[in-house]
Amino acid sequence: MGTATAAYEVKNALYDAASTLFAADDVVVSWGFPIARDFDDYVVFTGMRTEQEPGPMGARRARNENVFITASFDFFRAGEADDDRVVTDAAVDAVRRLEEYVRVTDTTLGGLCEWCFLESIDSEGFTDMGMLARGRQAVVEVVFHAFVRITS
């Protein structure tokens, strides 16, 4: 882990977790937006932001870091669906699976952080008018919040 920040490592750990969780589901997990849209379902890790404050003072000059990682769950279903519910259910289910993984299965992201939780979810809740002729789309933006103590 870097001594300036753990943001890169936290983002990488969440990316790896999602890649493993969704490997059998035809969900493309991407670090940044993919060039081509060849699949219907994507989990895209985009932003990272940190806030640091001094930790317990001592020889190691510890710092407490709050790391915020943004991901977009972008799911699409082709066809004549009457509403957005089917595709939204699929996107939200994927969010729930990753959330449960970091909250229950690997709570420290392999020892990288003290904890990691889903902090926020944001979705417009409808398909963009330009997409309606092709099918239904749900985009669910999430932020994961991890707490890290940097000790070196």
Side-chain angles (χ1 to χ4, degrees), residues 93-133:
D93 180 61
V95 170
R96 287 180 177 143
R97 288 173 58 197
L98 184 56
E99 182 278 334
E100 181 177 9
Y101 178 83
V102 300
R103 182 177 46 83
V104 176
T105 305
D106 188 2
T107 61
T108 65
L109 299 176
L112 185 60
C113 59
E114 303 280 328
W115 47 259
C116 183
F117 292 108
L118 178 65
E119 179 165 282
S120 65
I121 297 176
D122 185 31
S123 178
E124 296 297 324
F126 61 89
T127 300
D128 181 85
M129 294 297 288
M131 291 280 271
L132 285 176

Side-chain angles (χ1 to χ4, degrees), residues 60-151:
R60 298 179 86 176
R61 311 273 304 164
R63 293 175 321 283
N64 295 329
E65 181 174 44
N66 289 289
V67 177
F68 304 90
I69 304 298
T70 303
S72 177
F73 289 71
D74 185 343
F75 282 49
F76 178 78
R77 296 294 177 268
E80 302 284 332
D82 289 338
D83 62 36
D84 291 320
R85 182 174 291 182
V86 171
V87 70
T88 302
D89 285 350
V92 170
D93 180 61
V95 170
R96 287 180 177 143
R97 288 173 58 197
L98 184 56
E99 182 278 334
E100 181 177 9
Y101 178 83
V102 300
R103 182 177 46 83
V104 176
T105 305
D106 188 2
T107 61
T108 65
L109 299 176
L112 185 60
C113 59
E114 303 280 328
W115 47 259
C116 183
F117 292 108
L118 178 65
E119 179 165 282
S120 65
I121 297 176
D122 185 31
S123 178
E124 296 297 324
F126 61 89
T127 300
D128 181 85
M129 294 297 288
M131 291 280 271
L132 285 176
R134 295 184 300 173
R136 298 292 178 148
Q137 179 184 26
V139 179
V140 180
E141 301 279 339
V142 301
V143 175
F144 283 93
H145 177 185
F147 177 78
V148 179
R149 176 147 304 142
I150 300 173
T151 57

Side-chain angles (χ1 to χ4, degrees), residues 20-40:
T20 300
L21 278 173
F22 304 124
D25 298 335
D26 288 330
V27 175
V28 174
V29 179
S30 177
W31 184 287
F33 288 99
I35 293 173
R37 183 159 188 127
D38 299 328
F39 291 85
D40 289 340

